[in-house]
Amino acid sequence: MYAQMIKSTGKGVKSLDEMDPEERAFQERINAGGKIEPKDWMPDGYRKTLIRQIGQHAHSEIVGQLPEGNWITRAPTLERKAILLAKVQDEAGHGLYLYCAAETLGVSRDQLTRDLLSGKMKYSSIFNYPTLTWADMGAVGWLVDGAAIMNQVPLQRTSYGPYARAMVRICKEESFHQRQGFDIMMKMANGNEAQRKMAQDALNRFWYPSLMMFGPSDKESVHSAQSMAWKIKMNTNDELRQKFVDQTAPQAAYLGLTIPDEHLEWNEERGSYDFSEPDWEEFFDVLQGNGPCSVDRMEARNKAWDDGRWVREGLLAHAEKKRARKMAAE
Amino acid sequence: MSEPLFEFLCRMGDNTLVLGHRVSEWCGVAPVLEEDIALANTALDLIGQTTLWLNLAGEVEGKGRDADALAFRRDVWEFRNVLLVEQPNGDFGQTMMRQFLFDLWHKGMLTALQDSSHDQIAAIAEKSLKEVTYHLERTTDTVVGLGDGTDESHDRMQNALDRLYPFVGEMFVSDAIDTAMMAEGIAPDPADLRPAFDARLDEVLSDATLIRPTSDFAHKGGKSGQRHSEHLGHMLSQMQWLQRAYPDATW
């Protein structure tokens, strides 16, 4: 889940009777499973909430290149290097589709980028954790992409057309990412003693941060209630987290790895696993910019943007010269 | 025959291996998102080509080494890439200029190798040429765009050209390996590729408002493996680290 704690209007969901005719028609269309397109009328709150959500998702894809990029130059085989590069390239592509989807709501990519770099907009907490061994490339694919998919698959049915369509394409690629992550984990878990140790260590470090990706319980959140009424959020955070644990626990067992939770246990009655909550204090610290890599990540993005300024300006100046020369010739 | 052929294949594969690695160092920090995607694409193509060249090299050598064994288990003196491709990335302008100069040579080389008497080499060349034609189109546009952009971008591109031009000559120097390849009709004389390279280089530099350095001095020692730069060892210490630290592991 690459969007966390997205604020909506904060006012609670209106009933159809409380809405004026325009808003009522909009809501009824969503209730009937219809799509909202860029030129359609939409409430201001819907537009703003979507910009926050899609923007945060896009930023997560961009910052998310860094922890995996950390291992591209140390990938152990040519094939692993190519697969990892292709995956990180997909993430840049996802960022691009998502910024384009956000642009249909009237905000530019440059504006969103400035808001990321100034710290005004956030990206997923998970990318503030370090990748320390090659097994982390497995854990990121298996757990982080696995958690992201939980949220992104339902979002293919979201009410906003451009977002839903971007998500269809993203989901296809994400499921490949998750499989490649699991494949790395299998090799590591079935490898030599050092590799098995790396695999268990990666699971130990990424388990709770992965659970945090879904955000704290939002059963009582007015923001989530509004987003769900608008179908830009399809499930509660707890539902998705439970689904993720239920899917992942048997996979860990298959790998012969131990999930670092002594309370993890199958609950026959619920037909689901019981599990421990992550440390939410740590989560809020990370959101405040106190994650282990928060400062490094923002420095890296700011440096890339500042170092690239002359390139962007140069290419723009050239395009203008070309246009001027063409006009002069005509 | 097999030894010069092995050397030649290592030259082709090490060029793409080392340059692909350098380009992959840009992951996530390019000037714009489109460039992140394009650089990753270039790196991917080069790594794919590396696999083809070095697997064939291993096959020709006949000692059971595959592309990974050659890429991750040789030391600096066994590498046969030209010095140009191991130069550090520098700023985006240096990366693009290095890529452009290499692409322009690479396209000429691969075009000639399509007619190689060695079927597998001709097939790899044909596949690679499709990718490299696109690389060259893109780097040509970028060199022209930045050369003829702002004052700052122009100065940076001129610096990049001045810095990298002394590494151009090595790509066209012929030695005993090349002579052996020519004799078998496997590969062209590199010196024969120079006139077309020069003609196109002059055109592009003119469009880019850049000035070609007057000295044709050329550093040598990469493709012969006799004297690489200090940079290659650092690159290998990163690239080969896992394979060296855990030699019995499979990944």
Side-chain angles (χ1 to χ4, degrees):
Chain A
M1 186 131 162
Y2 290 161
Q4 294 162 322
M5 304 197 66
I6 300 296
K7 285 206 167 73
S8 181
T9 59
K11 287 181 191 152
V13 181
K14 283 190 217 167
S15 70
L16 287 174
D17 290 337
E18 289 170 288
M19 294 176 184
D20 61 34
E22 213 169 28
E23 187 173 357
R24 186 180 173 129
F26 167 87
Q27 187 63 50
E28 281 174 340
R29 191 153 142 212
I30 290 176
N31 293 349
K35 292 275 182 260
I36 307 301
E37 294 300 334
K39 288 193 173 135
D40 296 339
W41 181 88
M42 62 185 82
D44 201 38
Y46 177 84
R47 183 186 300 276
K48 285 184 176 155
T49 308
L50 265 177
I51 289 174
R52 278 193 284 270
Q53 181 171 331
I54 300 173
Q56 195 183 111
H57 188 165
H59 296 331
S60 299
E61 299 282 0
I62 300 310
V63 179
Q65 295 181 92
L66 298 172
E68 289 178 301
N70 183 38
W71 277 91
I72 284 178
T73 54
R74 288 179 288 173
T77 68
L78 293 169
E79 189 186 14
R80 290 286 178 206
K81 196 207 292 254
I83 292 172
L84 188 57
L85 248 174
K87 175 178 191 285
V88 178
Q89 185 191 33
D90 284 348
E91 279 153 14
H94 297 173
L96 202 55
Y97 314 147
L98 289 162
Y99 284 129
C100 290
E103 279 178 330
T104 65
L105 293 159
V107 62
S108 71
R109 199 209 300 182
D110 277 358
Q111 181 58 50
L112 289 170
T113 301
R114 277 194 292 274
D115 288 346
L116 168 68
L117 297 179
S118 70
K120 188 176 158 203
M121 285 184 86
K122 300 288 180 207
Y123 54 91
S124 177
S125 57
I126 192 72
F127 301 118
N128 291 306
Y129 288 87
T131 54
L132 301 178
T133 73
W134 176 250
D136 288 15
M137 295 303 98
V140 168
W142 173 38
L143 301 174
V144 175
D145 292 315
I149 291 170
M150 289 294 153
N151 178 47
Q152 290 171 358
V153 167
L155 279 177
Q156 295 177 97
R157 294 178 283 112
T158 188
S159 63
Y160 189 55
Y163 191 23
R165 290 188 287 273
M167 215 48 77
V168 170
R169 203 161 156 188
I170 288 174
C171 281
K172 279 188 195 145
E173 294 176 347
E174 289 289 356
S175 66
F176 152 73
H177 296 172
Q178 197 201 7
R179 280 201 302 276
Q180 72 84 35
F182 193 72
D183 186 58
I184 292 177
M185 286 312 269
M186 285 224 290
K187 275 272 192 235
M188 299 298 280
N190 295 316
N192 65 24
E193 198 187 331
Q195 287 174 301
R196 284 197 296 280
K197 196 173 162 191
M198 285 183 224
Q200 182 61 53
D201 176 59
L203 174 57
N204 292 350
R205 281 181 289 106
F206 276 97
W207 176 252
Y208 286 108
S210 299
L211 295 187
M212 289 177 201
M213 286 175 69
F214 300 96
S217 179
D218 59 354
K219 280 187 295 222
E220 314 288 331
S221 162
V222 285
H223 298 291
S224 292
Q226 179 62 74
S227 289
M228 288 177 79
W230 280 333
K231 294 194 186 169
I232 57 181
K233 182 176 172 68
M234 312 299 280
N235 306 87
T236 67
N237 295 346
D238 291 323
E239 282 167 5
L240 293 169
R241 189 170 13 250
Q242 182 70 60
K243 215 174 150 197
F244 172 74
V245 173
D246 290 347
Q247 177 187 289
T248 310
Q251 293 172 345
Y254 177 78
L255 291 169
L257 300 176
T258 308
I259 289 175
D261 177 1
E262 55 181 332
H263 302 297
L264 184 83
E265 200 177 358
W266 178 251
N267 182 325
E268 197 63 56
E269 209 174 302
R270 290 200 304 121
S272 268
Y273 283 89
D274 293 334
F275 59 94
S276 303
E277 288 279 312
D279 176 356
W280 291 112
E281 211 170 297
E282 176 181 318
F283 172 77
F284 287 108
D285 279 341
V286 173
L287 286 201
Q288 289 301 312
N290 292 320
C293 298
S294 304
V295 173
D296 294 335
R297 300 287 186 246
M298 287 313 287
E299 263 181 16
R301 285 311 309 160
N302 272 289
K303 184 175 187 308
W305 188 248
D306 294 343
D307 288 353
R309 177 170 294 122
W310 71 271
V311 177
R312 297 189 299 274
E313 288 172 356
L315 292 176
L316 204 65
H318 177 69
E320 275 160 19
K321 283 184 194 176
K322 241 168 89 172
R323 200 176 313 128
R325 281 198 288 262
K326 197 174 165 218
M327 274 175 67
E330 275 165 7
Chain B
M1 189 60 236
S2 74
E3 205 185 317
L5 181 58
F6 172 73
E7 286 280 320
F8 172 76
L9 291 167
C10 284
R11 288 175 178 186
M12 294 303 293
D14 288 346
N15 281 336
T16 52
L17 171 65
V18 170
L19 187 59
H21 187 94
R22 280 284 184 238
V23 176
S24 79
E25 291 171 356
W26 272 98
C27 177
V29 295
V32 277
L33 197 44
E34 285 81 354
E35 286 299 335
D36 274 310
I37 295 172
L39 287 164
N41 218 44
T42 303
L44 271 171
D45 287 344
L46 293 172
I47 293 165
Q49 292 169 19
T50 302
T51 307
L52 298 171
W53 288 125
L54 293 185
N55 273 332
L56 183 56
E59 218 176 278
V60 164
E61 186 193 36
K63 292 181 184 167
R65 293 202 284 183
D66 62 5
D68 282 332
L70 290 167
F72 294 96
R73 300 289 178 92
R74 281 178 303 156
D75 209 334
V76 169
W77 63 82
E78 295 165 289
F79 272 73
R80 295 293 180 262
N81 58 282
V82 291
L83 296 172
L84 175 69
V85 295
E86 69 195 46
Q87 297 310 303
N89 285 340
D91 66 11
F92 184 76
Q94 280 179 44
T95 292
M96 282 294 131
M97 184 60 79
R98 182 187 62 198
Q99 188 73 39
F100 165 69
L101 295 169
F102 179 76
D103 290 344
L104 190 52
W105 169 83
H106 203 194
K107 190 180 175 191
M109 186 60 162
L110 293 170
T111 304
L113 287 178
Q114 287 189 116
D115 299 324
S116 171
S117 61
H118 193 295
D119 290 346
Q120 282 166 286
I121 290 178
I124 297 173
E126 193 186 336
K127 183 191 177 293
S128 304
L129 184 60
K130 289 190 188 111
E131 296 164 350
V132 169
T133 301
Y134 174 70
H135 297 174
L136 180 59
E137 257 174 54
R138 198 178 86 79
T139 50
T140 301
D141 286 350
T142 309
V143 165
V144 170
L146 292 174
D148 181 37
T150 58
D151 289 346
E152 182 183 2
S153 73
H154 175 272
D155 292 350
R156 283 178 183 263
M157 293 313 281
Q158 186 64 54
N159 282 340
L161 179 62
D162 295 346
R163 171 86 174 68
L164 294 168
Y165 194 73
F167 298 102
V168 166
E170 187 189 13
M171 296 190 285
F172 301 99
V173 173
S174 309
D175 62 11
I177 305 291
D178 294 307
T179 310
M181 291 300 100
M182 277 185 286
E184 298 287 328
I186 292 175
D189 181 352
D192 288 345
L193 303 173
R194 182 96 203 215
F197 176 95
D198 282 340
R200 182 63 187 143
L201 179 64
D202 284 338
E203 281 172 9
V204 174
L205 292 183
S206 159
D207 288 348
T209 69
L210 298 174
I211 295 163
R212 182 168 168 170
T214 46
S215 166
D216 267 333
F217 170 78
H219 288 292
K220 290 189 259 312
K223 75 182 238 185
S224 67
Q226 282 168 2
R227 192 166 61 209
H228 280 282
S229 65
E230 290 177 349
H231 306 297
L232 184 61
H234 290 284
M235 177 200 269
L236 297 188
S237 67
Q238 188 171 56
M239 184 173 88
Q240 299 181 334
W241 173 71
L242 272 176
Q243 286 268 357
R244 301 281 195 175
Y246 303 98
D248 63 335
T250 52
W251 305 95

